[in-house]
Structures are given as C-alpha cells and as structure tokens.
C-alpha cells in the first residue's frame, strides 16, 4: 500500500512541475478562470503565485481560490482530501480572522521549513535537531491541520528526548501556533507568512472598496485585473480568485467579456 502511495505522490509531483513550467504567466484571468480538476488548478496557480519582494515564501493557494476555479465544490473537497492523504499537499488553517485555509505542496513546505531552520542557525540557536525530528516524525505521520501537545511530544520523542525548549523553538520558527480556545492544541503553520496574511486581509478590503465605489458595483474583468492594489503585496489575480471563490464577488458573461460584480447578499 505504502509503495502505491509513494508512487502517486511522485507522479503528482512530476505532473505539477511539468505543468507549472508550462503555465503562461501572461495568460489573462479571463483566459484561465476555470479548470477541470483541483490538481490542474493547484499547479497553474502555484506557477502564477506572485513574486513578493523581501519575503521568502514558497507558493501557496487559498481553498477559496480553488472554489473559484473548479465549478464543483464537493469535487474540490474530495480531491483535496485525496492529495492530503497522499502527502502531495498540506492544508493550513490561516490566522486571518476568517475560516481561511492555505494549501502548499508538501515539497514546497519542506523548503519553507529548511529556510526557517537557516534563519535559526543565523541567530545561533541551539537544539536545532528538533527540526529534523519534526520533518521526519511529525510531518510524515500527522496529516491534519492541528496536533495535540501530547501527540506532538510523543512523535518528536521518536527522534530524541523532548524538552519544553524544543516546542518553543518550533513556535518561534513559525511552524506551530497555539490554538486560543485550547492551549494544549497547536495549528501547523507556514513560517514567514505573517506579512502575507496581513496583505490578504487588506487586499480583500481594498478590492471590495474599489468595486463598491463604482456606479453598479461592477467592472469588466480585463481592466480590473490590470489594476494594482496599494495595500497588498499579492497581485489582483490572487485576490480576484479568492473573493470569487468565497462568494464576495461573482462573475457574469457579457458580449464584451466577463464582468465582476459585488455579490448582493
């Protein structure tokens, strides 16, 4: 069984990389708004993830963006669950004040962990072996977005003797955040994502405000996509997919192209 799983993950990874390298950044959103399945949507959006100055972050996709790109939400949920179980992607609960989930390819997430470890090395932190235990024992076996303190310690102890300092290191590196409701539970987190999460929230407000100021609260997609947001490091395409998928915006076809308008309800 494990062999079959491994092969699926490798096949998916190769497929994603092949398609990502072909994804045309110059294609307008109007030309590639919807896709046939979740994996196709994931790999195209990964390739189109904006380059962000001064923030070292691997590409990630919001679940809402997948909902905007694949017509059937149930299909997205089902295919995402399969990709999670096959260890192709990891799903993260994002701290944006909404029920947001981020999706990152597992291989990209491992690179993100390695970057976090490098930063810890530069700060001359000790006990860095805990990061290897985290990668080998925790990430490989705990596929859900959260983990309980006792289970975390138990998995880490497969690598060596666990101390409180080890858990603090993982939190300081941005790999775990404590759940507010239950302090004995942690969310898995993407290191270095703080400023991007702020940009997601601010970009949403800015885009909705832009459309709300227009006479019919709508705009043609092509000129809208070319506008730049002041308050977000992410591009307009990223925010449009997000707000369409979350239902804040909707699209309609007109003789001159796609119209984007603010949802009434």
């Amino acid at each position: 069984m494990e062999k079959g799983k491994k092969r699926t993950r490798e096949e998916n990874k190769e497929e994603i990389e092949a398609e990502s390298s072909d994804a045309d950044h110059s294609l307008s959103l109007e030309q590639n708004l919807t896709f046939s399945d979740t994996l196709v949507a994931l790999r195209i959006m990964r390739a189109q993830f904006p380059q962000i100055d001064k923030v070292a972050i691997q590409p990630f996709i919001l679940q809402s963006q997948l909902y905007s790109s694949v017509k059937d939400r149930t299909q997205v949920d089902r295919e995402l669950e399969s990709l999670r179980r096959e260890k192709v992607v990891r799903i993260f609960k994002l701290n944006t004040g909404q029920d947001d989930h981020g999706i990152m390819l597992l291989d990209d997430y491992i690179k993100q962990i390695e970057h976090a470890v490098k930063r810890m090395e530069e700060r001359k932190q000790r006990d860095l072996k805990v990061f290897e235990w985290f990668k080998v024992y925790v990430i490989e076996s705990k596929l859900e977005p959260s983990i309980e303190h006792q289970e975390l310690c138990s998995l880490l102890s497969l690598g060596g003797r666990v101390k409180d300092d080890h858990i603090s290191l993982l939190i300081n590196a941005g790999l775990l955040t404590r759940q507010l409701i239950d302090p004995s539970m942690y969310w898995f987190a993407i290191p270095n994502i703080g400023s991007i999460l702020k940009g997601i929230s601010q970009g949403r407000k800015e885009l909705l405000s832009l459309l709300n100021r227009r006479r019919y609260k709508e705009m043609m997609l092509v000129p809208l996509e070319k506008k730049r947001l002041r308050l977000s490091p992410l591009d307009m395409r990223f925010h449009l997919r997000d707000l369409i998928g979350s239902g804040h915006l909707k699209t309609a076809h007109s003789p001159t192209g796609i119209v984007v308008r603010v949802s009434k309800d």
Side-chain angles (χ1 to χ4, degrees):
M1 178 67 185
E2 196 55 37
K3 262 187 176 170
K5 265 193 175 181
K6 185 73 179 164
R7 195 173 64 247
T8 312
R9 180 182 157 189
E10 288 305 316
E11 284 168 0
N12 279 324
K13 185 185 157 195
E14 283 164 21
E15 212 178 332
I16 286 166
E17 284 173 356
E19 293 264 346
S20 294
S21 59
D22 294 341
D24 187 351
H25 285 250
S26 63
L27 271 182
S28 75
L29 198 51
E30 191 159 65
Q31 290 166 297
N32 64 354
L33 191 59
T34 55
F35 305 106
S36 57
D37 68 46
T38 308
L39 190 58
V40 171
L42 271 171
R43 60 193 180 213
I44 300 290
M45 285 189 222
R46 175 184 180 269
Q48 292 175 344
F49 188 80
Q51 288 292 319
I52 299 167
D53 295 337
K54 299 175 191 161
V55 180
I57 189 124
Q58 295 292 321
F60 66 91
I61 291 99
L62 299 176
Q63 195 158 348
S64 54
Q65 292 172 319
L66 291 176
Y67 288 151
S68 77
S69 309
V70 180
K71 284 290 178 236
D72 183 351
R73 281 179 178 236
T74 312
Q75 179 190 345
V76 170
D77 293 341
R78 196 175 57 242
E79 291 175 346
L80 210 45
E81 181 60 16
S82 296
L83 292 168
R84 182 179 72 84
R85 287 178 185 279
E86 289 159 10
K87 301 182 190 176
V88 176
V89 301
R90 273 199 85 90
I91 300 174
F92 301 89
K93 172 87 175 70
L94 299 182
N95 182 22
T96 48
Q98 292 191 21
D99 187 26
D100 286 323
H101 289 84
I103 298 136
M104 193 178 260
L105 293 184
L106 181 62
D107 298 305
D108 287 338
Y109 178 52
I110 298 295
K111 284 181 202 157
Q112 196 71 21
I113 294 175
E114 284 160 3
H115 179 76
V117 175
K118 237 182 224 137
R119 286 172 70 196
M120 286 297 191
E121 283 168 351
E122 286 161 10
R123 293 181 201 163
K124 304 283 188 283
Q125 288 279 3
R126 292 163 55 198
D127 284 339
L128 295 180
K129 55 186 179 291
V130 70
F131 292 104
E132 199 52 38
W133 304 347
F134 184 76
K135 265 195 311 193
V136 175
Y137 302 109
V138 181
I139 294 302
E140 276 298 313
S141 58
K142 185 70 179 174
L143 308 180
E144 291 78 16
S146 63
I147 189 166
E148 199 268 330
H149 179 79
Q150 222 40 58
E151 187 181 4
L152 174 67
C153 292
S154 159
L155 288 171
L156 287 172
S157 69
L158 296 169
R161 191 159 167 266
V162 184
K163 298 182 290 194
D164 287 345
D165 287 356
H166 287 138
I167 309 294
S168 299
L169 265 179
L170 292 170
I171 292 171
N172 292 340
L175 291 166
L176 295 171
T177 55
R178 280 188 200 278
Q179 290 193 17
L180 296 175
I181 299 165
D182 182 355
S184 69
M185 291 291 289
Y186 304 95
W187 293 114
F188 288 105
I190 301 169
N192 223 21
I193 200 176
S195 63
I196 309 289
L197 294 184
K198 189 180 174 192
I200 289 174
S201 300
Q202 290 185 327
R204 282 171 173 162
K205 286 179 194 156
E206 190 180 348
L207 175 49
L208 286 169
S209 163
L210 170 84
L211 285 168
N212 275 315
R213 287 197 308 270
R214 297 187 77 87
R215 190 173 174 192
Y216 297 110
K217 300 188 178 184
E218 66 180 38
M219 194 171 167
M220 297 303 294
L221 176 58
V222 172
L224 178 57
E225 193 190 349
K226 292 185 179 131
K227 285 192 172 290
R228 291 179 72 87
L229 293 165
R230 289 180 306 108
L231 303 176
S232 172
L234 299 151
D235 59 12
M236 187 59 96
R237 172 159 41 192
F238 187 96
H239 288 291
L240 280 166
R241 287 196 194 283
D242 166 40
L243 287 170
I244 292 166
S246 65
H248 287 88
L249 298 178
K250 56 185 181 188
T251 56
H253 290 270
S254 78
T256 48
I258 296 175
V259 181
V260 179
R261 59 173 64 106
V262 178
S263 298
K264 294 280 190 288
D265 36 61

